[in-house]
Amino acid sequence: MALSFAEFKAALQADEAALAARQTVTGILACVACEEPLQESVTGSRHTHKGYMCSDCYFEELGRELDAHPIMTPRAVR
């Protein structure tokens, strides 16, 4: 069943209010770490084994993993 223009406008305003309050609306994914609604141009959207993350949480977790397991090159034998 199609929405009337008034119903569509009310739903759009409710979605905008929910995004402004950092709540997830229908059809928008949330970050698995901080539960912020993901918008590619604003927060970024990185796919991980846990689910989708915002760029801030993704790089924070990546930094923790690199600190815990540093990348080292073996020393050359002389």
Side-chain angles (χ1 to χ4, degrees):
M1 179 179 195
L3 294 175
S4 70
F5 179 71
E7 292 171 331
F8 174 76
K9 188 175 178 182
L12 186 61
Q13 288 173 344
D15 285 350
E16 288 175 358
L19 280 175
R22 297 186 180 268
Q23 297 172 347
T24 303
V25 296
T26 304
I28 295 180
L29 297 171
C31 176
V32 295
C34 66
E35 297 179 0
E36 182 173 342
L38 296 176
Q39 298 174 346
E40 181 62 40
S41 60
V42 179
T43 61
S45 180
R46 309 281 179 163
H47 186 269
T48 65
H49 67 282
K50 296 179 181 178
Y52 286 91
M53 295 180 127
C54 65
S55 292
D56 292 340
C57 294
Y58 175 81
F59 287 113
E60 187 176 314
E61 184 169 322
L62 181 63
R64 281 194 302 262
E65 287 296 319
L66 287 175
D67 288 342
H69 308 286
I71 299 171
M72 295 182 176
T73 57
R75 294 183 180 238
V77 177
R78 295 184 187 231

